[in-house]
Amino acid sequence: MTSALKKQWHNLAFSGLILHEILDHPLEDETPQARLKQVGMMTILYTMSQAHQKLTLSNIIDITELTRTGVKETVDLLVKRGMLTETMVKNSMGRGTARQFEISKGLLNKLSSFRVSQDGGLN
């Protein structure tokens, strides 16, 4: 199977996984709109991650054109869910700190449990 097809299956598996994790496990007092924003944000963050872009608030704001507050609220919910991990790093100017995120190892482990069979289907 071509690597392009494997990548497409991997992307579909990730989309299904985040839909399941977010929509089937709502947080207390969470609105449907907030869950939908999280699904969209995870899709963007996954794409950024695949392109080796740093997942910082500034980079996410640049890509999404959302406000800092809008990005922060959605990302904070994803950290609370355990879908993202957060670390503090030096900011791009090297003077202060910035929040940097990664897709959690737990979520990636769940994703890796989906294997693509020889005929191109998911196992």
Side-chain angles (χ1 to χ4, degrees):
M1 178 177 7
T2 67
S3 73
L5 187 55
K6 281 184 182 179
K7 185 173 183 172
Q8 186 176 10
W9 276 114
H10 197 263
N11 290 341
L12 286 170
F14 183 81
S15 295
L17 178 61
I18 61 169
L19 281 170
H20 168 72
E21 292 293 321
I22 294 170
L23 298 181
D24 291 349
H25 304 102
L27 299 173
E28 190 174 324
D29 297 328
E30 183 180 49
T31 66
Q33 179 181 351
R35 288 192 298 277
L36 191 56
K37 286 169 81 173
Q38 291 170 60
V39 168
M41 184 64 74
M42 280 303 294
T43 302
I44 291 166
L45 297 178
Y46 181 71
T47 303
M48 288 175 69
S49 177
Q50 294 296 86
H52 306 289
Q53 294 180 339
K54 291 184 180 180
L55 304 182
T56 62
L57 287 177
S58 295
N59 286 350
I60 298 166
I61 290 165
D62 287 344
I63 299 252
T64 63
E65 298 183 5
L66 293 170
T67 64
R68 186 171 198 82
T69 301
V71 169
K72 184 181 174 309
E73 287 174 355
T74 304
V75 167
D76 285 346
L77 287 171
L78 293 168
V79 170
K80 183 176 180 179
R81 283 183 178 282
M83 296 180 85
L84 294 178
T85 56
E86 176 183 5
T87 55
M88 297 302 286
V89 297
K90 288 198 182 254
N91 67 14
S92 59
M93 298 183 347
R95 290 189 228 150
T97 58
R99 296 170 68 190
Q100 185 168 315
F101 306 93
E102 287 184 52
I103 297 174
S104 75
K105 302 290 185 232
L107 191 62
L108 293 176
N109 287 339
K110 285 182 183 181
L111 181 62
S112 70
S113 70
F114 294 105
R115 291 191 183 90
V116 178
S117 67
Q118 293 300 319
D119 65 358
L122 288 176
N123 290 332

